[in-house]
Amino acid sequence: MEDDEEKLLQSVALQNANSIFLARQRAEHELVRTKEALEAKTAALAKSLAVTEASLRERDEARAEADAVLRVLQDANEAKRRFLNMISHELRTPLGAIGGYASLLVEEIHGPLSAEQCKFIARIQHNQQHLLRLVNELLDLAKIESGNTPLNLCTVSVQTVLDSVYAMIDPQAQASQLRLVRGGDPTLSFYGDGERVEQIVLNLLSNAVKFTPAGGSVSVTTISTSNDIHLDVRDTGVGIPAERLDAVFEPFFQVGEVPSGKPRGTGLGLAISRELARAMRGDLTVKSVL
């Protein structure tokens, strides 16, 4: 009996030893798998960290390059502004002198002029005014692009703006046999720079008169919405092709040939007008069909 009990105890002890051995084996295998998984995750994290660091370096390099380009552009804009300021003074003086001497000749202070001489002097005056206008518009564009547009903001009457502009444009309209029309509510007011808005509307009306055939009409309609006032300028000209609408606000862009007998512009009026409108937190848009 004692031998049987001893054998039974030995069998149980052996089974327990086997169980402990198997459990230890399983634990060691699980530990190995866990270690391998951790190593794989560590490697993946290290790779991800390396990629992130490389991306950050690339971002910092790109930002540094962008900052360098921005500084170059700012320096170029400043150099352009200084150049335009300098050249404008250098050009205005002789242009003013040309205009003054041409006026003296027209007044015939130093003797009478023939019809042919008067025609030549008229051409001199026309070209002198064109060059002077180009110089002034280049200066305006340079100031706008550099963010140095001086604005005198206050409450402005639409009626005041239109009265001033129509007084300047009416002789051109009559000479071109065009009808000027006003519509909408002229008693409205807005907050902005009255002189700059006059400049914008005058540019728009001058273009309308320039490209509208005799017998047509040019109109300005004042439209009020809940937040804005719209000055809608329309004409009965030939229109603008759809593929050229996006380009009309580009500096020096000319939509088409100017009708015979009408002065050719500088191609800066619309570009300046839109930037002025945006400087006053407004905008200038175009719609047209042929």
Side-chain angles (χ1 to χ4, degrees):
M1 182 66 75
E2 291 179 358
D3 290 339
D4 292 339
E5 289 179 355
E6 185 176 348
K7 288 179 180 180
L8 180 61
L9 290 172
Q10 288 177 351
S11 176
V12 170
L14 183 61
Q15 289 177 356
N16 288 339
N18 286 334
S19 298
I20 292 170
F21 176 75
L22 292 174
R24 181 177 177 181
Q25 260 191 337
R26 286 195 297 270
E28 287 176 349
H29 290 159
E30 187 65 29
L31 184 61
V32 169
R33 285 197 298 271
T34 302
K35 180 182 177 183
E36 289 174 348
L38 286 172
E39 288 175 347
K41 288 183 178 180
T42 301
L45 286 173
K47 184 178 180 181
S48 176
L49 181 60
V51 171
T52 302
E53 289 176 345
S55 298
L56 289 174
R57 284 195 299 272
E58 290 176 0
R59 184 202 63 183
D60 291 341
E61 290 171 359
R63 181 177 294 172
E65 290 177 3
D67 289 342
V69 170
L70 180 60
R71 285 193 295 272
V72 170
L73 289 175
Q74 289 173 338
D75 291 342
N77 280 333
E78 178 61 22
K80 181 177 71 173
R81 187 189 65 80
R82 289 198 302 268
F83 170 77
L84 287 175
N85 279 331
M86 178 195 71
I87 203 68
S88 67
H89 292 299
E90 295 297 324
L91 288 173
R92 278 177 171 175
T93 301
L95 284 173
I98 291 170
Y101 283 120
S103 296
L104 290 175
L105 290 172
V106 168
E107 293 172 6
E108 299 184 336
I109 293 176
H110 298 290
L113 299 174
S114 66
E116 192 71 13
Q117 288 172 327
C118 288
K119 185 171 70 174
F120 289 155
I121 293 173
R123 289 181 181 175
I124 291 172
Q125 289 177 313
H126 171 78
N127 287 311
Q128 181 261 350
Q129 288 298 318
H130 177 79
L131 286 173
L132 193 58
R133 186 167 60 253
L134 176 59
V135 169
N136 290 333
E137 288 183 345
L138 282 171
L139 274 176
D140 275 344
L141 190 62
K143 288 177 182 177
I144 291 168
E145 289 179 346
S146 65
N148 294 323
T149 309
L151 295 174
N152 180 25
L153 301 175
C154 60
T155 301
V156 183
S157 164
V158 171
Q159 183 77 48
T160 301
V161 170
L162 294 184
D163 284 346
S164 175
V165 173
Y166 269 66
M168 290 183 278
I169 205 70
D170 188 56
Q172 298 177 36
Q174 289 187 19
S176 299
Q177 301 176 35
L178 301 177
R179 187 167 57 96
L180 289 179
V181 182
R182 290 197 208 185
D185 185 359
T187 64
L188 296 172
S189 297
F190 62 90
Y191 187 74
D193 187 319
E195 289 187 6
R196 293 300 191 177
V197 174
E198 283 185 16
Q199 182 179 352
I200 294 169
V201 178
L202 181 60
N203 275 331
L204 296 178
L205 287 175
S206 296
N207 277 349
V209 168
K210 186 186 304 179
F211 290 101
T212 301
S217 64
V218 176
S219 67
V220 178
T221 304
T222 310
I223 304 168
S224 176
T225 66
S226 57
N227 297 316
D228 303 300
I229 290 178
H230 298 260
L231 294 178
D232 187 25
V233 178
R234 299 186 179 215
D235 63 65
T236 57
V238 296
I240 304 169
E243 67 273 11
R244 308 190 80 181
L245 282 177
D246 291 339
V248 298
F249 295 112
E250 295 297 323
F252 303 106
F253 179 80
Q254 298 281 351
V255 173
E257 291 299 320
V258 178
S260 178
K262 295 190 177 182
R264 186 171 182 82
T266 61
L268 290 172
L270 288 179
I272 291 171
S273 294
R274 185 174 66 169
E275 293 305 319
L276 285 175
R278 290 178 174 178
M280 291 181 284
R281 301 182 69 180
D283 206 356
L284 183 60
T285 59
V286 59
K287 294 180 182 179
S288 185
V289 292
L290 284 176

